[in-house]
Amino acid sequence: MPNAIYENGEDGVEADPTPASGLRGHHGWSMVTALVADGERRVRQLVDWTGGEGIKPDVGGYIGPLGIVDDIAEATDDRGPQGEPGLGEPGLQGKSAYEIAVDNGFVGTEAEWLDAYVNEIAQAATEEAINARDAAVENADQTAADVVTVEEAKNIVLASGGIPFETTALGIAATVDGQLFEAKGVSAGLVYKALYKNVAGVATPQNLEIPSKAAFDAAFDLVHEWVAFGGALGFVLKDKDGKIYAAWRQDDALLRTRLGLVSESIDLAYDEETGLTTASIPGLVAETAEQIINGKKALLVFKDPNNQVFAACMEDGSLYVPRLAADRIIGASTGTADSSSYYFTVEDIAGVPQIIRYNRTLGTRTQITSEGGNTAPRVTQDGLYVVYSSTRTSPASEFFQPVGGGDEIPVIAGSTVIAIGNSLSTTGGLGYVSGLVPLRPGVTVHSQGVSGQRSDDIAYRLGVLPFSGTIAGGSIPASGPVAVTGLQTSIFRYWSGPTGALRVEVAGVPGTLSISDYGTATSYAFTRAEAGAAVPVVNPVPITPKSGVVLGSTDASAAMALKDLFSGTVIVYVTYNDHRESTYSQAATLANVAAIVNAVRPLVKKVLVVCDHIGFGRLTDATAQANGAGAGIGLASSEIESKRQIQDSQALTTALLAAYPGECVDLQANLVADGYTQNVTVLGTVFQIVKLTILGDGTHPTTALGKAVEAGYMNNQLTSRGI
């Protein structure tokens, strides 16, 4: 406190700041002067002293330029030099102050009047000095009072700043009536400090206590070392009865152990007064079985010495406390509905069992079914799909979804065969589809083939590979079409007609992506399905296909939804045109096939992967004609290119057979075995080339025999698999 005065320094006792204490001096004296005449001069004479303490100084002398002088001649003249005469005629001589005083009734000489005037001025000055002295004394007294106020403020700061007094007695001594202060606590050392109020000299508790370390130690379990998923717990909190109700790990405050609980019986007791449910679970044993509590997976369960569970740490990081607010406890899962990233279980939703998915990493919960009563979720052996039985059909049947989410699809293939691919999968004169129809009576065979497309083009339009485009103006209009440019890939590559469309979703807005003139290769448009407010987009914007293709029209409203296409038996024949490209990569083709198969084949028996045949179209025109073909049948640009395409086709067939055992149809091997090929030599190597009686143009099964034979190979594979 810089304004306080203490004995023995700032840490001593505050002293009385008075002259008697010797810790400050007397108040100073102020001069009282009078104006007197010295001929034409007017000087100040010291006539008295005022406002001081102690012995008054001597009176007398005059005020000179450097202080008090004895000789009046050395005094300072208060009257300045006479000014220069002004312009104009002099005015009338005015009356002197003495003459004015006589006119107003003064009786006496001029000298007598002057003495009276000077005494009047001196009296006024004296009164002014006395008033100044009184004000100074009052200010000094206020300064002393301020010292006391500062000390009181210091006590308040000490009381509220975390530095408690050692005892309440010291707090009372340092404060006045009504002041708050903090003092070190009592209660067997369990209180670090408490807030008190000085009430007439008595320390009165204010019901605010800060627990001591001993109190925290008593509240935490410091004896046991609780471990969660290989990491020690930093804190385990217990209530006053010693029951643990919360715990945190030292590293990330999340409990990640796989401990669960098993019990023979669970007793729930509802307290109508508190509205809380107590769960009593006797005979608990901690083990690695997974347990679902209140619809969630439990990671770590805490129990008391009586085996009553009073807290469970859940997979999503939340804490379930049945002794405080419990709902219900659902029995243990068999553990079969489990994958590396997700956990599936059945929960009662509005009285109907539904399948729930938990994300192991994020801890999020998603309801993945909404129809019928569902039971016994399981995950396929490859860990990609969850399968469950549902009463939405009668009798109940199985459905499946990708484990990460997606459309629900019946396990049993419907009465539809979907041909996915290029021109070899079309319904016209080029593909095998028309040959498959009579072999599967009562079954609809639906083509999703687009001539000339490679495996990546097909994957893009099926929505299994992401692509994007640029919306003109950066906004989807309220209605009508908007131009789309900059497509990362042309899903309309090698379109077989001038127009085509498919349903898509752009920035959450459903609509149709169409091409009105394939010849320009850039005339793409997006038309929203329903009018609404304009939607701004950030280009390039993702485009998500929602249906199959429609050829010859820009209206895709009647196109089959992708989920319906994928719910049938799908024949994937997508590789032929990849070999025609000089940049062909077997790894890229295999990746594209895998993306398509994984999208359409949640269960093994629903997909066929077709391996290429090798026809005259792989030859040069000269070699084709030399082996009995007409002009224009061979399409390879050179013998080297011809040999590359043939060998690439053979190598890809080998890779597909290894990747999809039991799911492939090896057209080439079947045609060779049935005598539908002939030997052709290319650059010294003999290859089996499919005869023109099967592939009339050297590439497609354009003949009736060709359609029937190739479709027959596919139908046999379907039948052998119970489809």
Side-chain angles (χ1 to χ4, degrees):
M1 296 294 178
N3 294 325
I5 299 174
Y6 300 90
E7 292 181 354
N8 301 320
E10 290 190 359
D11 294 331
V13 179
E14 182 183 359
D16 179 17
T18 65
S21 68
L23 296 177
R24 72 171 177 83
H26 293 288
H27 293 296
W29 292 93
S30 299
M31 291 186 292
V32 180
T33 62
L35 189 67
V36 297
D38 180 26
E40 294 295 324
R41 302 188 321 135
R42 297 293 183 267
V43 298
R44 291 281 177 180
Q45 183 180 21
L46 177 57
V47 298
D48 200 359
W49 296 89
T50 185
E53 294 179 331
I55 301 174
K56 181 186 293 187
D58 294 335
V59 177
Y62 303 90
I63 306 303
L66 298 178
I68 301 174
V69 297
D70 294 329
D71 188 355
I72 192 172
E74 297 176 1
T76 300
D77 186 3
D78 276 11
R79 177 186 292 177
Q82 183 174 349
E84 295 292 330
L87 299 176
E89 295 295 329
L92 296 176
Q93 180 67 38
K95 292 183 178 181
S96 68
Y98 168 71
E99 291 173 336
I100 294 174
V102 171
D103 291 343
N104 289 321
F106 179 78
V107 178
T109 65
E110 184 175 359
E112 290 173 339
W113 172 82
L114 184 58
D115 288 341
Y117 174 75
V118 170
N119 290 334
E120 181 180 349
I121 295 301
Q123 180 64 32
T126 300
E127 291 178 357
E128 181 179 354
I130 292 172
N131 290 336
R133 179 203 63 186
D134 293 342
V137 171
E138 181 178 354
N139 287 339
D141 293 340
Q142 183 60 46
T143 299
D146 287 345
V147 172
V148 177
T149 302
V150 168
E151 283 306 299
E152 292 177 350
K154 177 182 178 182
N155 287 334
I156 295 174
V157 171
L158 286 174
S160 61
I163 307 175
F165 292 100
E166 288 294 328
T167 64
T168 55
L170 291 175
I172 289 295
T175 57
V176 298
D177 187 23
Q179 279 190 316
L180 296 172
F181 66 91
E182 287 181 328
K184 288 189 175 179
V186 289
S187 302
L190 297 180
V191 177
Y192 165 58
K193 62 181 179 180
L195 185 65
Y196 296 90
K197 185 175 185 180
N198 187 332
V199 179
V202 177
T204 305
Q206 298 300 298
N207 298 321
L208 179 60
E209 296 180 342
I210 305 299
S212 66
K213 181 179 182 301
F216 277 99
D217 289 345
F220 287 83
D221 187 345
L222 301 180
V223 177
H224 303 89
E225 181 181 19
W226 292 83
V227 178
F229 207 26
L233 298 181
F235 297 103
V236 179
L237 302 182
K238 301 188 298 185
D239 62 18
K240 64 180 181 179
D241 296 323
K243 293 184 176 64
I244 299 172
Y245 56 89
W248 289 267
R249 251 181 65 163
Q250 290 176 338
D251 52 1
D252 56 7
L254 292 178
L255 293 165
R256 302 181 184 278
T257 181
R258 291 293 300 274
L259 291 178
L261 60 89
V262 175
S263 177
E264 296 297 327
S265 63
I266 299 175
D267 297 324
L268 299 178
Y270 178 71
D271 189 326
E272 295 183 355
E273 181 177 351
T274 63
L276 304 179
T277 302
T278 297
S280 176
I281 311 176
L284 289 176
V285 178
E287 57 184 42
T288 57
E290 292 178 338
Q291 179 71 27
I292 302 303
I293 298 181
N294 199 26
K296 295 182 179 180
K297 183 179 175 183
L299 295 181
L300 183 63
V301 174
F302 297 104
K303 59 183 180 179
D304 62 17
N306 297 321
N307 282 333
Q308 289 184 317
V309 171
F310 45 84
C313 298
M314 314 308 293
E315 187 176 32
D316 60 2
S318 64
L319 185 69
Y320 179 80
V321 187
R323 282 196 173 277
L324 299 180
D327 184 0
R328 64 183 180 276
I329 298 180
I330 298 177
S333 165
T334 62
T336 56
D338 202 352
S339 72
S340 60
S341 301
Y342 301 94
Y343 182 81
F344 298 87
T345 186
V346 177
E347 294 182 16
D348 191 331
I349 307 297
V352 180
Q354 302 294 346
I355 308 299
I356 307 299
R357 180 181 67 245
Y358 291 93
N359 187 305
R360 291 184 181 277
T361 302
L362 302 177
T364 55
R365 173 187 180 277
T366 305
Q367 180 179 334
I368 68 172
T369 62
S370 59
E371 300 181 53
N374 302 276
T375 59
R378 62 184 175 86
V379 175
T380 55
Q381 187 174 2
D382 57 13
L384 297 177
Y385 307 96
V386 59
V387 185
Y388 42 88
S389 176
S390 176
T391 61
R392 75 190 66 183
T393 61
S394 181
S397 60
E398 286 190 319
F399 290 78
F400 63 88
Q401 300 183 43
V403 294
D407 294 319
E408 294 182 76
I409 303 172
V411 169
I412 303 301
S415 58
T416 302
V417 172
I418 311 298
I420 291 177
N422 44 53
S423 59
L424 293 166
S425 300
T426 58
T427 56
L430 299 179
Y432 67 85
V433 173
S434 58
L436 187 60
V437 172
L439 300 177
R440 302 195 72 79
V443 175
T444 300
V445 182
H446 182 80
S447 171
Q448 279 292 293
V450 176
S451 295
Q453 290 199 326
R454 302 177 312 194
S455 61
D456 56 343
D457 303 317
I458 298 168
Y460 282 120
R461 63 178 170 83
L462 291 176
V464 301
L465 291 181
F467 72 95
S468 62
T470 298
I471 302 296
S475 177
I476 300 173
S479 62
V482 60
V484 181
T485 58
L487 291 176
Q488 290 176 314
T489 182
S490 172
I491 57 174
F492 300 100
R493 177 183 171 91
Y494 297 122
W495 215 251
S496 60
T499 58
L502 72 162
R503 293 198 303 276
V504 298
E505 188 173 278
V506 180
V509 179
T512 299
L513 181 66
S514 60
I515 183 171
S516 58
D517 182 6
Y518 175 69
T520 66
T522 57
S523 300
Y524 308 115
F526 172 72
T527 305
R528 63 191 301 164
E530 296 181 0
V535 177
V537 299
V538 178
N539 286 316
V541 61
I543 300 175
T544 306
K546 293 295 183 180
S547 78
V549 298
V550 171
L551 296 174
S553 172
T554 58
D555 179 12
S557 59
M560 290 182 66
L562 285 182
K563 69 175 183 177
D564 295 331
L565 289 173
F566 295 168
S567 67
T569 297
V570 180
I571 301 178
V572 180
Y573 189 7
V574 299
T575 60
Y576 187 87
N577 289 316
D578 287 27
H579 303 296
R580 295 171 56 185
E581 305 288 338
S582 60
T583 57
Y584 163 78
S585 164
Q586 183 184 107
T589 298
L590 287 173
N592 295 333
V593 172
I596 296 171
V597 169
N598 288 338
V600 303
R601 183 216 60 184
L603 296 180
V604 172
K605 65 182 179 180
K606 294 180 60 62
V607 178
L608 289 184
V609 178
V610 180
C611 300
D612 286 326
H613 52 221
I614 302 173
F616 276 75
R618 297 291 190 194
L619 306 175
T620 63
D621 192 51
T623 300
Q625 292 188 51
N627 286 275
I633 297 296
L635 300 175
S637 60
S638 67
E639 293 295 307
I640 294 176
E641 177 64 15
S642 172
K643 190 172 185 179
R644 181 195 67 79
Q645 290 189 22
I646 295 172
Q647 290 177 332
D648 283 349
S649 178
Q650 291 174 330
L652 182 61
T653 293
T654 300
L656 290 174
L657 290 170
Y660 305 100
E663 299 177 278
C664 285
V665 177
D666 188 349
L667 291 181
Q668 181 69 16
N670 280 283
L671 291 168
V672 171
D674 290 342
Y676 292 119
T677 60
Q678 65 185 67
N679 292 334
V680 175
T681 301
V682 178
L683 293 180
T685 302
V686 177
F687 296 103
Q688 297 290 328
I689 304 299
V690 179
K691 294 178 180 179
L692 295 175
T693 54
I694 300 297
L695 305 179
D697 61 359
T699 300
H700 304 88
T702 56
T703 66
L705 176 62
K707 295 181 189 300
V709 168
E710 291 204 346
Y713 296 149
M714 299 180 192
N715 185 62
N716 291 340
Q717 181 70 6
L718 293 174
T719 302
S720 68
R721 297 173 61 194
I723 300 175

